[in-house]
């Protein structure tokens, strides 16, 4: 590793793979993102980092859609673009003789939304190719073509208040975004970009932990192995 103290990297709590790169954030340098090549994961030259925003706050979450990379702070949402790299040294200094070093071209970070950030990283999921998250303002938001859209505007605000707690978690299943907190679950289906919503209230002794799915059913998991099976028709 070159250019930084080792603690700058290992203190990062977020790591996201995107393309042939790995991105790190939420470490000692709160607002900075570091990047390395998957083929040479211990090489961090000084140009392989960039600052997210100017408020000094932590990067709270990151996600990759396979084509785009996004970084989140409490104060906003940012697109991360990395391109134009070139090999700078084909002579390896490592035991692996196939390793090489690269110089970065353009590493740009652009704010795409103000004050609609993600405070709870456990409430961020990628549905299809669209990041979806529960914002600090009590909205379920989605990014499409770098435009942030509120997909929960038809849902009663009192219902959304339930999911503002830090214990809220989210899951992606059957093209749907599912928010869970305690015994409540909110499902938003992204099919045809309509984002139809369904709400379930489980027994009060249930504490939802997550959800998984196959092509037909969604299974909600609870801490004490309680399962509730719901059909893909959602209406049952």
């Amino acid at each position: 590793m070159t250019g930084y103290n080792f603690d700058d990297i290992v203190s990062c709590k977020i790591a996201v793979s995107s393309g042939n790169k790995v991105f790190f954030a939420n470490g000692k340098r709160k607002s900075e993102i570091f990047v390395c090549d998957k083929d040479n994961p211990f090489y961090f030259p000084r140009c392989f980092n960039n600052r997210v925003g100017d408020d000094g706050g932590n990067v709270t979450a990151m996600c990759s859609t396979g084509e785009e990379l996004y970084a989140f702070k409490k104060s906003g949402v940012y697109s991360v673009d990395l391109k134009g790299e070139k090999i700078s040294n084909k002579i390896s200094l490592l035991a692996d003789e196939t390793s090489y070093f690269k110089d970065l071209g353009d590493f740009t970070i652009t704010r795409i939304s103000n004050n609609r950030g993600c405070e709870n990283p456990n409430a961020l999921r990628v549905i299809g190719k669209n990041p979806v998250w529960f914002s600090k303002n009590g909205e379920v938001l989605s990014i499409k073509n770098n435009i942030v859209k509120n997909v929960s505007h038809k849902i009663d605000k009192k219902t959304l208040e339930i999911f503002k707690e830090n214990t809220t978690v989210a899951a992606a299943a059957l093209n749907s975004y599912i928010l869970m907190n305690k015994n409540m679950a909110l499902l938003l289906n992204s099919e045809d970009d309509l984002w139809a919503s369904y709400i379930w209230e489980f027994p009060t002794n249930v504490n939802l932990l997550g959800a998984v799915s196959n092509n037909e059913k969604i299974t909600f998991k609870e801490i004490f192995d309680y399962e509730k099976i719901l059909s893909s028709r959602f209406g049952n």
Side-chain angles (χ1 to χ4, degrees):
M1 191 187 86
T2 62
Y4 294 97
N5 294 322
F6 188 67
D7 286 350
D8 294 338
I9 309 300
V10 298
S11 63
C12 291
K13 301 178 182 67
I14 298 171
V16 174
S17 173
S18 181
N20 65 342
K21 297 287 187 293
V22 182
F23 296 80
F24 300 87
N26 195 340
K28 285 188 173 182
R29 295 173 178 254
K30 298 179 180 180
S31 296
E32 294 191 35
I33 292 178
F34 301 89
V35 58
C36 70
D37 197 282
K38 285 182 180 178
D39 295 329
N40 202 354
F42 297 106
Y43 179 57
F44 290 86
R46 188 164 291 278
C47 60
F48 273 46
N49 79 300
N50 206 339
R51 180 177 293 274
V52 179
D54 54 9
D55 61 359
N58 275 328
V59 175
T60 55
M62 286 195 297
C63 71
S64 173
T65 66
E67 298 176 356
E68 305 289 342
L69 180 70
Y70 295 96
F72 298 80
K73 302 179 80 170
K74 292 180 182 180
S75 57
V77 186
Y78 301 78
S79 65
V80 181
D81 187 31
L82 190 157
K83 59 185 177 182
E85 66 183 12
K86 62 181 180 180
I87 296 175
S88 65
N89 182 5
K90 291 185 177 181
I91 301 175
S92 175
L93 301 178
L94 306 176
D96 182 0
E97 291 299 329
T98 63
S99 297
Y100 49 82
F101 301 108
K102 294 180 180 179
D103 284 333
L104 205 59
D106 295 324
F107 186 5
T108 57
I109 296 177
T110 306
R111 184 193 291 262
I112 63 173
S113 177
N114 293 326
N115 301 317
R116 303 175 89 180
C118 178
E119 191 166 357
N120 179 4
N122 294 321
L124 169 66
R125 293 294 180 265
V126 176
I127 311 297
K129 293 187 177 180
N130 302 322
V132 184
W133 72 100
F134 189 70
S135 78
K136 66 174 185 176
N137 297 326
E139 303 169 319
V140 180
L141 303 173
S142 175
I143 300 175
K144 188 173 183 179
N145 299 322
N146 273 357
I147 296 174
V148 176
K149 175 184 177 181
N150 180 358
V151 297
S152 62
H153 61 280
K154 296 181 181 179
I155 301 173
D156 182 73
K157 289 185 178 180
K158 289 185 178 180
T159 299
L160 292 172
E161 285 287 329
I162 298 168
F163 302 100
K164 280 189 173 182
E165 298 181 18
N166 290 333
T167 52
T168 294
V169 296
L174 296 178
N175 295 317
S176 298
Y177 174 78
I178 305 171
L179 269 179
M180 293 157 284
N181 186 38
K182 297 178 181 177
N183 68 321
M184 297 294 294
L186 166 66
L187 182 148
L188 286 160
N189 188 277
S190 66
E191 190 172 357
D192 299 324
D193 207 29
L194 295 177
W195 296 97
S197 61
Y198 305 84
I199 299 171
W200 293 284
E201 184 174 358
F202 291 80
T204 55
N205 64 329
V206 171
N207 192 1
L208 295 173
L209 183 65
V212 295
S213 73
N214 55 25
N215 291 328
E216 296 179 353
K217 296 179 180 179
I218 296 173
T219 301
F220 288 92
K221 291 281 189 177
E222 193 259 345
I223 293 175
F224 301 104
D225 295 326
Y226 175 87
E227 293 185 359
K228 176 71 174 178
I229 310 296
L230 300 171
S231 78
S232 60
R233 293 190 296 274
F234 304 127
N236 293 353

